Amino acid sequence: MSNFKEESRWSNIALRILVNTASHPIEYAKVLIQIGHEPIPPRATTTLFGQPALALPNLFQYVKYIKTVDGFTGLYRGLVPKLCANAISTVAFQKTAESITFVNEPDPQIDEDDLPEHERRTRCINELVRDLASRIVAIIASHPFDVITLRMMAQFVGGETKYTRVFGSVVEIYRENGISGYFAGLVPRLLGNIASLIIASTATYAINKYIVYDREMRSYTAATMTFLASAVTYPFLVVSHCMAVNDCGLVAGLPPQMPIYESWTHCWSHLSANNQLKRGSSVLWRYYTGPQVIMNGKPIRISKENFYLQGTQ
């Protein structure tokens, strides 16, 4: 049995390495958007409802832009520490989950639909507690490598080369921010994951108990609720990524690219005030939400450059 668990663990790690490698360019572009880097000016367009708007490049166009600047290999900046983080996260999660047991654990061999109501509720609570504890341990253990990944990616903004290798990046983070630098952005990331798990778990239990009675349909409830919970808690991810690069010595984390935030709540307040908490959440349709005016039926972005040019004419 132990050999089977070890094989399962390492097969899961191998699968995650494959998936993360394939999706890395898209995730890379999303991170740059999340930290506020928009190198391609928005273009005039219309929404699906025919309203004038300014369109920003979608994720695939952003990936193409990164390739034109850094080449094909540049699309995989930060991949190595990201894979390290995922491997550590997977092992830490599974080891923690295996070590947590409950005295009132219902028989795992019995299908949930065949359990009495009180045992079904007990199983739901036990699984939630186990998942929460395992996820917290996994996030804390892997977060330093996630910070390295994010800072390697953020170097694209200013063209720096401070974070190139994993070991060198460990030294650089300590030099810039001390021990706390390894856990920059940890609190909003933890809160987002905890909130997501609680929302998904409780919603799945309630829907399966009071709304969905078909066994086959119930198998889709958890996946659907997990997706919706991730969407609801997405702003925590944006804030976490911003805090991971904020005031770290890179152009991406300093004014004018990004204000220096006193705390993650300060970052949240600033992004919320500017309607930026959901940036990077859309894959295909992205619209500029900053100050703009409609002139002759066309949207025009208002920026300092606009005022400067008008004043010199």
Side-chain angles (χ1 to χ4, degrees), residues 243-276:
M243 292 305 297
V245 302
N246 189 244
D247 196 18
C248 69
L250 298 177
V251 170
L254 296 171
Q257 176 68 24
M258 182 187 296
I260 295 179
Y261 299 115
E262 298 174 359
S263 63
W264 73 268
T265 55
H266 179 207
C267 177
W268 182 292
S269 298
H270 176 260
L271 294 180
S272 177
N274 290 277
N275 194 26
Q276 295 293 302

Side-chain angles (χ1 to χ4, degrees), residues 9-66:
R9 178 181 298 116
W10 289 110
S11 63
N12 287 338
I13 293 176
L15 179 61
R16 293 186 66 173
I17 288 175
L18 181 63
V19 172
N20 279 284
T21 301
S23 63
H24 187 76
I26 295 294
E27 292 299 320
Y28 181 13
K30 179 178 285 191
V31 166
L32 293 179
I33 293 170
Q34 288 170 338
I35 64 175
H37 185 50
E38 296 289 355
I40 304 174
R43 57 179 177 82
T45 185
T46 57
T47 65
L48 294 175
F49 301 101
Q51 298 296 319
L54 290 171
L56 291 166
N58 61 42
L59 284 179
F60 299 104
Q61 292 169 329
Y62 208 122
V63 168
K64 184 178 179 181
Y65 173 79
I66 296 173

Side-chain angles (χ1 to χ4, degrees), residues 117-129:
E117 179 56 34
H118 70 281
E119 290 192 5
R120 186 184 304 178
R121 184 168 54 252
T122 299
R123 174 179 288 184
C124 178
I125 295 173
N126 289 352
E127 288 180 351
L128 175 59
V129 172

Side-chain angles (χ1 to χ4, degrees), residues 97-271:
E98 291 170 4
S99 66
I100 297 175
T101 57
F102 300 94
V103 294
N104 61 340
E105 189 87 49
D107 188 348
Q109 303 299 323
I110 301 177
D111 188 87
E112 181 177 334
D113 294 321
D114 298 326
L115 290 173
E117 179 56 34
H118 70 281
E119 290 192 5
R120 186 184 304 178
R121 184 168 54 252
T122 299
R123 174 179 288 184
C124 178
I125 295 173
N126 289 352
E127 288 180 351
L128 175 59
V129 172
R130 183 182 289 112
D131 286 347
L132 281 173
S134 302
R135 184 71 62 87
I136 290 171
V137 171
I139 289 174
I140 294 174
S142 62
H143 194 74
F145 288 94
D146 283 309
V147 173
I148 293 173
T149 300
L150 293 168
R151 294 190 180 184
M152 282 187 177
M153 293 176 171
Q155 290 183 133
F156 178 84
V157 178
E160 298 106 329
T161 56
K162 294 176 67 174
Y163 299 91
T164 53
R165 301 180 185 278
V166 175
F167 180 75
S169 297
V170 171
V171 175
E172 185 62 33
I173 290 175
Y174 184 79
R175 182 183 297 120
E176 285 287 348
N177 307 111
I179 296 295
S180 62
Y182 300 118
F183 300 99
L186 176 63
V187 174
R189 185 183 175 197
L190 281 174
L191 291 177
N193 275 268
I194 291 171
S196 180
L197 277 173
I198 292 175
I199 292 171
S201 179
T202 54
T204 298
Y205 175 80
I207 290 173
N208 284 346
K209 180 180 179 181
Y210 298 108
I211 300 175
V212 178
Y213 299 101
D214 184 86
R215 289 196 176 191
E216 293 185 2
M217 292 298 295
R218 283 181 173 180
S219 61
Y220 299 102
T221 306
T224 304
M225 291 303 101
T226 299
F227 173 79
L228 293 177
S230 298
V232 170
T233 58
Y234 181 81
F236 286 98
L237 181 64
V238 175
V239 172
S240 175
H241 286 178
C242 286
M243 292 305 297
V245 302
N246 189 244
D247 196 18
C248 69
L250 298 177
V251 170
L254 296 171
Q257 176 68 24
M258 182 187 296
I260 295 179
Y261 299 115
E262 298 174 359
S263 63
W264 73 268
T265 55
H266 179 207
C267 177
W268 182 292
S269 298
H270 176 260
L271 294 180

